[in-house]
Amino acid sequence: MGLNVGGIYVKRAGKLTPNDVQAAVRDYWLANGATESKEDPLRFEPLGLQKTGKLGFVVVAARGAAGRWIGVYDSERYTADSELAAHLARRFRTEVWHYEITSAADGARARRYGGAAKVVRGEDSVLALIDAFPYAFLYYDKIEKELPAKERARFLTLGFERIPQRPDKAYTGPGAAQHRSNDAVAQARLLAGQRDAAGLRRLASKGDVYWDVIRPAVEDADLSESRDARFVHALGTLVVREEGHSREVAEAALRVGDEALFEKAMALAKLETFEADLVERRAFELGQAGQSTLAFRLLEAVTRAPTASATQWNNAAHFLHLVLQAQKRGHKQTGISAERLERFIAGAMNQGRVNSSIFHNLACALVELGRRDEALAAVEAAARSAYAHVARMKTDRDLDPIRRDPRFQAAFRAERKPISIAGLSVERGRGKSKARLIAPAFGLHFYFEGARAAPAIAGVIESLAAEFPRMFDYFRPSGVLALQATRRGKLKRDLTLLRKRPAEIELQYDRARGAACDQRVLVNLGADSGGELSIYLPLSLADDADALFARCLGYARDLPFETGNAGFTLTPYDVGPLAGPSTDADVELWRLLPEHLGLTASQTKFGFRIDATFVVPSWLTFLGPKALKRAGSRLKGAIGPATIAALPNKRAVIRAARAPFVGPAGAPTDLGALPKVVRALHALLPRAGKEDEGTYAKLEADRMRAIVRGNK
């Protein structure tokens, strides 16, 4: 995760106390023309000084060895005032450090005032410097939300307002133009409360009115209320002109019947994946509220965008069925033209190749339309594609009108098509290009307790770099940025960090700059929590299963893992941000994993706290000393044909078949001894109750049950 934070540390000299530092900060800002505020400084808007003229401070000293330093943080959060640091050094004749870390710009700098001047550059060096200081890495705006009341009581606070404009200073209040903008914003807020769209349009170009008032008013409007829908519609052209699109304006336009504005607001040719996901989420909310037609209209539009996902096609087919079902009598009104409906049905049949649930929903919709031959074709397509819920389809009451047709039962006797791991690839349009969201690969996932595995992981990465140099073409500079071309010496520095400073660390290298690929390595280690090493390798290595097995043993031999697995896997698009193709790739993983047995997966990719206490068996299953003890002494006899190979330091690996495998859920599949392995390791499998619905643990628990149930 990117770190953007700044602060000041004052070294205690003589009897210097936090109260003395607080008084010095107060004197400094009062002398600079500010007024002390009576408001709670912890409620001040972060990064708001140049707009509001308000600035808050906290002053605190830690207990113990770090108590030699007094920390000063302000509401600008990402920065600290170097002039204030210099002032404190002069006033108290002591050493004062000023630091700023901006991971988003891959930069960090610290400077010492008082005594011998010194400057430290580089994130690693600055982190090492401030690590022992009080409340290092503190975010000002999280003090009130995250620290216990007893802890907050130790913080001294003070706040200032009416800080004057100081154009030549880093810390400056608003100027005349900003004051005019603030006045316009205040007037606009009154108009927004009155739902006066015409008045807001007249003020829209003044200062911050659009982003501070109009945009929030549109976002917060209750579109189920006709007054709010008309208000947003009246502002629609302005919003679309300013932003290029707006899902709120699109919905308001649908509600008032303005098809032209609806299409403009959707901006389908430029619709990004994260925007489509937000539209999909809103469609679900509308559907749950009984407004299926609106839900279908929004999703049908999304399916016309190049970024549309198979999941969005499936949900659109689902709501189409609900719309038609609700109109049992009279003309079937979908809200779209007959031509568009035909294009949607044809597109959904095509998308069913990568999401077989579409066939089921589409069959139900086609039954409602009276198109029985096409509905039967959709049923047969679902059965042939190893649809995971084929049993439910057989008894679905919505398909009663075609149940007695001989072709209905014959569809379920049709031979199912085998699924190849090489075919589990998902691409998505992105503007004029395509993004590869999911790519098949061979994967290894090892889990650790804490960061003590770091030096051994460095050895594995060094081996990978020698054999797969392109795997290290790109690296992630922080947890929130896209991957960049690897700079000379970067890998060497990371290996040194792993070997010499085993602590919390995240690393990602790959050959495709974050797009789904078959050469990637990820390290995610917590100082006190779990850790993970994930390695993605080319599928071609599985052509020689014995050589691949020996390779995996080589990687695992010196790793102090607790658990792990290896086998065919799916590597996702992963460039950092929590929106866009990366999010879409995670959605596809959630969909594909339950449908295919034998696949391995990374816990990290599902936002799951890394847990080395359970295993997810695959072609290879790795067990550390604790896992072996919990599995019990009868493990080998219970597994039968599976091979158990011993590794150094009381670790072992179970090989469930001669070669890696994957099979569709709901279809006869040869998973080797995997079902026996799952049953033998029942004490180590993920446990999931009702409270775990929608979690990675629940997903894997269900998959393990499916492996045993379908392969007895």
Side-chain angles (χ1 to χ4, degrees):
M1 182 177 185
L3 182 65
N4 300 282
V5 67
I8 295 171
Y9 297 118
V10 182
K11 189 174 184 179
R12 287 189 169 183
K15 297 181 179 180
L16 183 65
T17 68
N19 297 82
D20 297 329
V21 174
Q22 180 192 40
V25 173
R26 179 184 291 110
D27 293 345
Y28 172 83
W29 276 108
L30 293 179
N32 276 288
T35 301
E36 191 164 1
S37 176
K38 295 181 180 180
E39 297 180 42
D40 182 353
L42 293 179
R43 305 283 176 90
F44 284 1
E45 178 184 348
L47 307 175
L49 172 59
Q50 293 188 29
K51 186 173 182 179
T52 66
K54 296 180 179 181
L55 182 64
F57 282 91
V58 296
V59 179
V60 64
R63 296 186 177 94
R68 295 187 305 110
W69 295 90
I70 298 170
V72 180
Y73 305 93
D74 65 58
S75 56
E76 289 298 272
R77 194 180 79 173
Y78 288 174
T79 61
D81 188 351
S82 58
E83 292 196 8
L84 174 59
H87 169 78
L88 294 173
R90 290 192 300 269
R91 174 156 174 170
F92 298 118
R93 298 181 181 180
T94 189
E95 182 180 333
V96 175
W97 278 97
H98 165 273
Y99 81 94
E100 293 179 353
I101 300 175
T102 312
S103 289
D106 204 19
R109 184 176 184 272
R111 179 175 177 178
R112 180 168 61 193
Y113 296 88
K118 183 178 181 180
V119 176
V120 177
R121 292 185 174 88
E123 187 167 331
D124 291 342
S125 299
V126 175
L127 287 174
L129 169 72
I130 69 174
D131 193 41
F133 287 159
Y135 296 95
F137 323 120
L138 179 78
Y139 278 100
Y140 181 93
D141 58 338
K142 293 185 178 181
I143 295 171
E144 190 172 43
K145 298 175 183 177
E146 297 185 0
L147 291 183
K150 186 175 181 180
E151 190 80 357
R152 290 200 308 270
R154 300 185 56 248
F155 285 73
L156 302 177
T157 62
L158 67 163
F160 304 95
E161 56 190 41
R162 299 181 184 176
I163 291 179
Q165 185 184 33
R166 307 188 306 163
D168 58 334
K169 307 293 184 181
Y171 273 49
T172 176
Q178 185 62 56
H179 281 298
R180 288 193 296 271
S181 173
N182 293 346
D183 291 341
V185 165
Q187 182 183 354
R189 286 198 171 112
L190 293 174
L191 296 173
Q194 299 164 359
R195 290 298 188 252
D196 185 347
L200 285 175
R201 286 198 300 269
R202 288 192 294 271
L203 286 176
S205 62
K206 296 186 180 298
D208 300 315
V209 165
Y210 180 81
W211 292 107
D212 281 11
V213 181
I214 294 177
R215 192 68 188 94
V218 168
E219 289 177 338
D220 296 338
D222 182 356
L223 297 177
S224 64
E225 297 287 339
S226 59
R227 183 185 182 217
D228 276 15
R230 292 194 303 271
F231 171 70
V232 172
H233 175 256
L235 292 170
T237 302
L238 169 66
V239 174
V240 173
R241 184 174 66 241
E242 185 72 30
E243 301 183 48
H245 64 87
S246 169
R247 62 187 181 280
E248 295 89 1
V249 170
E251 181 183 335
L254 278 180
R255 289 180 180 274
V256 302
D258 189 339
E259 291 288 335
L261 181 58
F262 171 68
E263 293 292 331
K264 287 181 181 178
M266 289 298 294
L268 297 173
K270 299 179 181 179
L271 192 68
E272 293 285 350
T273 53
F274 79 93
E275 295 159 355
D277 289 342
L278 292 173
V279 173
E280 181 181 25
R281 185 182 306 171
R282 177 57 179 165
F284 259 102
E285 292 173 355
L286 291 168
Q288 289 175 340
Q291 301 182 63
S292 297
T293 300
L294 280 173
F296 171 68
R297 287 298 314 275
L298 288 170
L299 284 168
E300 183 275 334
V302 169
T303 64
R304 290 185 275 124
T307 53
S309 71
T311 304
Q312 287 154 358
W313 277 93
N314 182 48
N315 291 327
H318 167 70
F319 284 116
L320 172 62
H321 170 231
L322 293 183
V323 169
L324 297 171
Q325 191 178 48
Q327 301 170 3
K328 294 280 187 187
R329 299 175 182 175
H331 185 61
K332 305 293 187 183
Q333 295 289 342
T334 62
I336 61 175
S337 67
E339 181 184 359
R340 280 239 305 271
L341 179 61
E342 292 308 312
R343 284 204 302 268
F344 173 77
I345 291 171
M349 281 296 290
N350 183 57
Q351 287 292 322
R353 294 179 297 106
V354 292
N355 186 343
S356 51
S357 295
I358 295 173
F359 292 132
H360 189 169
N361 283 311
L362 193 58
C364 294
L366 289 166
V367 165
E368 294 293 340
L369 289 169
R371 297 161 64 163
R372 297 191 175 191
D373 289 346
E374 292 169 85
L376 285 162
V379 170
E380 182 176 357
R384 284 185 177 275
S385 64
Y387 173 43
H389 303 293
V390 70
R392 191 168 66 197
M393 179 179 255
K394 290 179 181 179
T395 59
D396 191 341
R397 297 296 299 274
D398 293 324
L399 299 177
D400 280 354
I402 60 174
R403 191 174 311 285
R404 294 183 180 179
D405 191 304
R407 291 173 291 175
F408 184 81
Q409 295 301 328
F412 299 103
R413 294 192 294 270
E415 181 182 356
R416 290 173 180 167
K417 298 178 182 178
I419 295 178
S420 165
I421 179 68
L424 295 180
S425 179
V426 179
E427 291 186 341
R428 187 68 37 75
R430 195 181 184 201
K432 296 182 179 179
S433 61
K434 282 191 174 183
R436 198 173 194 192
L437 297 185
I438 299 290
F442 180 82
L444 297 91
H445 305 288
F446 294 102
Y447 303 100
F448 314 92
E449 290 186 349
R452 69 183 188 281
I457 290 174
V460 173
I461 292 177
E462 197 165 39
S463 298
L464 290 169
E467 189 168 5
F468 303 99
R470 288 210 59 199
M471 183 183 290
F472 298 87
D473 282 356
Y474 299 97
F475 80 102
R476 187 196 302 286
S478 77
V480 297
L481 293 184
L483 277 73
Q484 300 177 2
T486 303
R487 300 190 295 267
R488 186 174 181 179
K490 167 65 177 170
L491 178 58
K492 185 177 180 180
R493 290 193 297 273
D494 282 342
L495 292 176
T496 300
L497 183 63
L498 282 168
R499 288 186 170 116
K500 293 187 176 182
R501 189 171 172 256
E504 187 168 346
I505 187 169
E506 286 187 48
L507 296 175
Q508 177 171 334
Y509 284 94
D510 76 22
R511 70 171 181 83
R513 207 163 196 163
C517 66
D518 59 1
Q519 289 189 39
R520 177 180 293 172
V521 60
L522 299 102
V523 179
N524 186 348
L525 295 178
D528 301 312
S529 57
E532 177 180 349
L533 167 65
S534 287
I535 303 168
Y536 298 87
L537 299 170
L539 284 178
S540 58
L541 293 176
D543 293 343
D544 187 337
D546 291 333
L548 180 57
F549 179 55
R551 176 190 294 276
C552 293
L553 292 188
Y555 294 142
R557 193 169 304 278
D558 296 322
L559 288 174
F561 59 81
E562 294 298 329
T563 59
N565 55 33
F568 287 137
T569 191
L570 300 174
T571 178
Y573 188 108
D574 185 9
V575 296
L578 300 177
S582 294
T583 301
D584 210 19
D586 290 349
V587 171
E588 293 293 341
L589 275 179
W590 273 102
R591 179 180 65 80
L592 288 168
L593 279 176
E595 296 180 5
H596 300 91
L597 308 180
L599 286 171
T600 73
S602 162
Q603 293 180 14
T604 305
K605 280 311 300 171
F606 295 93
F608 184 76
R609 184 182 180 278
I610 299 170
D611 193 338
T613 65
F614 66 68
V615 299
V616 179
S618 188
W619 175 55
L620 303 183
T621 307
F622 296 89
L623 305 175
K626 293 180 182 178
L628 281 170
K629 185 176 181 180
R630 289 183 63 200
S633 59
R634 299 180 180 179
L635 180 62
K636 190 167 186 178
I639 291 174
T643 301
I644 300 182
L647 289 169
N649 300 315
K650 297 181 180 181
R651 289 174 169 80
V653 59
I654 301 171
R655 182 177 179 180
R658 191 191 68 80
F661 47 76
V662 62
T669 302
D670 181 8
L671 297 178
L674 184 62
K676 291 188 176 182
V677 173
V678 172
R679 284 194 290 270
L681 298 178
H682 68 278
L684 298 171
L685 299 179
R687 302 295 184 201
K690 291 183 179 179
E691 69 279 2
D692 295 307
E693 194 68 37
T695 67
Y696 176 82
K698 178 67 164 58
L699 172 69
E700 292 301 354
D702 290 346
R703 281 214 304 154
M704 294 304 105
R705 280 195 292 270
I707 287 171
V708 173
R709 185 171 57 246
N711 295 270
K712 292 181 180 178

